[in-house]
Each structure stands twice: as C-alpha cells, then as structure tokens.
Amino acid sequence: MRTPSAPSPSSLPELTREAIAAVDASGQLSDILGLPDHLRDALWRVESANLEFQDAPGGLVVAGMGGSAIGGELALAVLGDRASRPIVVARDYALPPWITPDATVLCCSYSGDTEETLAAFEAAGVLGARRIVSTTGGALAQMARAERVPVVPLPGGFQPRAAVGYALVVALEVAALAGVGERLLYEIDVAAAHAEELVAQWGPDAPEDSAAKALARDLHGTTPQIAGAGLTAPIAYRWKTQINENAKMPCFATELPELDHNEIVGWESAGELGRFSAVFLDDCDLHPRVRQRIALTRELVAEQAAATALVQSIGSTRTDRLVSLILLGDLVSLYLAALRDVDPATIASIDRLKSSLARL
Ligand code: F6R
C-alpha cells in the first residue's frame, strides 16, 4: 500500500549545481565532493603527528560523539576480521568499565569542545591509558597540550560531519599504531582514487537519473529506514545521521539479520501510519544468508513502503566499498536538502541543546 499525496519524483526540481547552491551557501557540497582529498590529507596529517607504535593489548577505544565518533565505527567495519583486538566506540562521558590501562584511547572531537569527549579524555587519563587526540582545537587541544598528549591536527572550516574521511583514516591509522589492526595505506589510496570517479558519476554534474539524485527523489517526502549488515551496518547509521542533519528529516538505521526478528512486523501497518521508505545497503562480502534476507525483506516491506531501494557497495577492497557508500549517502542527504529547500549546514537543534546545557 502507498500513502498518496507525495510529490511524484518527476515533478521535483532538477538537482543542478545552481539549484543546490541556492540552499547551500556554505558549500557543503564541495566538502562532500572533497572526500578523496580528505582521505589522502588525513594520512599525511597522521604521519606528521609523529606518533610512535605502542602495542595496546587492551585494544582501541575511540571516544567521541556524532560526526567525530563515526570514524571509529567505520574503521571497525573496514578492518572486519583483520582486527586482532577489540575496537570499541565510546559515545558517552565515561569509558566502558572493563577498559584496562593497556588500551589506547583515541579522543576525537572536531571542535574540541564536546563535553562528553572532554570527560572521556579525563577518564582515560585517570585510568592511565595511552591517549591520542584528534581535533581542530578547542578545550581538548589545550588539555592535550597541557598533559603532553599527542594531537593529530584536523583542518578547520568543516562541519564536523563533513570531516568523515579524516575521522575514518585517523581511526584506522591509530588502530595500526596500537597493534590492533593492519595498516591499510594501499586500500585507502585505492578508495580515494575510486571515490574521484564516483564523484563524477553521482555528483551535481551527473545526469538527473544518476544513482544519488534518483534515490534522493525516491526518498523525498518519506521517512527513510536505512538497513545495513556487517560492513554496511555503520554506513546505514551514517546515512541516517546525514539525512537527519543535512536534510532535517527523521530517518532511522537498522541492521540485518536482527530486523527480521522484530521490525519487519512493524512494517505491517506502515502504510496506515505514514510514508516510510526502506533502503537496504548490500555488500558482496555479507553472509550469503543475509543477502538472501535482504531480498526477501525488501519484498515484504515493499507492500507497505512508499519506496524501497537496494544499493550495492562498489569497489575491490572493504575500504573502497565502504567509501563508495559513504559518498553516496552523503550526496543523497545533500540532494534531499536541496529538494526540501533547506540549508544542509545548519543544525539549529544541536546548537540550541548545547547552549541550554551550557547554561545549567
Ligand atoms: C555536526 C555533527 C555533530 C558533531 C557532534 C560532536 O556536524 O555532525 O554530530 O559531530 O555534536 O561535535 P564534535 O565533532 O565537534 O565533537
């Protein structure tokens, strides 16, 4: 069943550079298209921070929030079974209680002023764990300097979420420096070169029926649910957060096979309750049964969905394929912002919340 009254994709305006520029005064589009350069520049920035190898039998903790935390999740997915020790993403004031002093704690905050990450930095200091900071400045850089903690300096001028290429590469490189995962220099280089080709295929100069533009049109006017599995599970979460922040839309992320054991039932009344869409992020390396589940689940929810889509990662290595889907999701979220006539940069609710908290 489909709930009527949404604009038909063909009646929506074209997603030209001019149409996007009309909402995107701060140039979020060019930050997204800069992903290949960000990946390469991040390697150089880690290199120039002169970090030493220090084996961390306790694994790697990536402490951060939002756009600064996602790099840890993505690094964990890219490494997959090449991670020899635990990698944990801590999105809170405290570190998980079982973290031991022989872990490495990477504290990531683009602004350097996120209170949860500042608290996690202090908690890691109290624990006596090795700390590394990744930031553009703020209180975190000051605290790191005062305590002689090494800093990977990030370039300023981005929205934190637009620095995802940096967040990913810094987490991967620090994982290697902690003896937690293989170093993936070659994969990162290949992914950057491939992303350049994909920018041409999916970017603003691509035809209106190119993958990112067409998908944005299909999702416009709906509440998307993005489903991933394995490598694509944290990417689904990234799509959700980008659609939330850039397009100012509710959007939810979910994971297979778990969703087949509960959420799938909720879809039975989706058509009555609103216009929901479902996007499934597939990867050639997923468990074969999960890939079969994706096809069957899509078929089932399609009866109640305003739109469904199956999106394949593209590329030879895990890094390459992950980067392909990050780029696609970022572009879809930006195109949705243009279709909705909203500025992709603004995050008024986050700003309001942070300033209310600061007054308490
Ligand atoms: C803003 C964004 C947010 C921030 C988060 C933490 O673009 O994506 O999710 O990343 O509020 O702020 P930082 O990254 O400065 O620590």
Side-chain angles (χ1 to χ4, degrees):
M1 188 207 296
R2 280 171 180 250
T3 313
S5 87
S8 88
S10 55
S11 68
L12 293 169
E14 294 209 338
L15 290 163
T16 57
R17 273 192 189 266
E18 298 66 44
I20 294 162
V23 294
D24 183 26
S26 62
Q28 297 307 301
L29 174 64
S30 68
D31 290 348
I32 291 174
L33 302 181
L35 180 60
D37 291 336
H38 301 175
L39 295 168
R40 296 185 189 110
D41 185 41
L43 282 175
W44 178 82
R45 281 172 184 271
V46 178
E47 191 75 40
S48 52
N50 287 320
L51 303 171
E52 280 169 19
F53 179 87
Q54 189 178 315
D55 201 43
L60 172 66
V61 180
V62 180
M65 301 302 299
S68 291
I70 194 70
E73 293 282 1
L74 298 175
L76 172 59
V78 158
L79 283 166
D81 57 18
R82 296 175 290 184
S84 51
R85 288 170 180 155
I87 301 177
V88 177
V89 180
R91 293 179 170 104
D92 208 338
Y93 293 85
L95 300 178
W98 42 265
I99 299 295
T100 46
D102 58 1
T104 289
V105 181
L106 170 64
C107 298
C108 305
S109 169
Y110 185 81
S111 63
D113 286 322
T114 296
E115 62 179 41
E116 297 93 320
T117 315
L118 297 175
F121 175 84
E122 284 180 337
V126 170
L127 183 66
R130 180 194 192 190
R131 291 176 290 177
I132 296 172
V133 158
S134 165
T135 187
T136 57
L140 188 58
Q142 280 174 17
M143 287 159 72
R145 232 172 280 128
E147 298 185 43
R148 307 177 87 80
V149 170
V151 176
V152 179
L154 301 179
F158 294 115
Q159 285 292 325
R161 60 190 180 279
V164 63
Y166 289 95
L168 166 63
V169 170
V170 171
L172 282 173
E173 286 283 275
V174 170
L177 285 162
V180 167
E182 287 173 28
R183 206 161 176 216
L184 299 179
L185 290 182
Y186 172 74
E187 287 197 18
I188 295 167
D189 266 348
V190 169
H194 186 209
E196 258 161 16
E197 290 166 25
L198 296 175
V199 158
Q201 280 178 40
W202 297 335
D205 305 322
E208 289 300 305
D209 62 355
S210 54
K213 291 184 180 180
L215 184 53
R217 285 209 175 77
D218 285 348
L219 301 184
H220 180 55
T222 73
T223 299
Q225 177 173 299
I226 318 292
L231 180 73
T232 70
I235 308 174
Y237 186 72
R238 167 72 179 179
W239 279 50
K240 165 214 149 39
T241 57
Q242 287 294 83
I243 292 174
N244 292 149
E245 291 185 67
N246 289 343
K248 295 28 151 170
M249 284 166 56
C251 180
F252 301 92
T254 184
E255 196 169 338
L256 283 130
E258 176 68 11
L259 93 83
D260 283 350
H261 299 271
N262 34 62
E263 280 182 34
I264 196 168
V265 186
W267 276 95
E268 288 174 16
S269 4
E272 274 166 47
L273 297 172
R275 291 180 48 78
F276 295 91
S277 55
V279 179
F280 297 88
L281 303 182
D282 194 12
D283 177 69
C284 58
D285 208 20
L286 297 187
H287 190 291
R289 291 294 282 170
V290 170
R291 301 193 79 191
Q292 290 169 338
R293 281 174 180 276
I294 287 180
L296 292 173
T297 308
R298 182 185 180 195
E299 233 174 84
L300 265 168
V301 307
E303 293 167 16
Q304 295 282 331
T308 67
L310 177 61
V311 179
Q312 299 287 343
S313 61
I314 317 173
S316 49
T317 68
R318 286 178 78 82
T319 311
D320 194 3
R321 299 198 303 275
L322 175 130
V323 167
S324 77
L325 285 182
I326 293 295
L327 178 66
L328 184 66
D330 283 8
L331 284 168
V332 167
S333 70
L334 194 282
Y335 295 149
L336 276 166
L339 294 172
R340 303 197 62 244
D341 203 15
V342 295
D343 179 348
T346 58
I347 41 170
S349 305
I350 298 179
D351 295 339
R352 275 174 61 190
L353 188 93
K354 283 186 178 177
S355 56
S356 302
L357 270 170
R359 285 196 297 273
L360 295 179

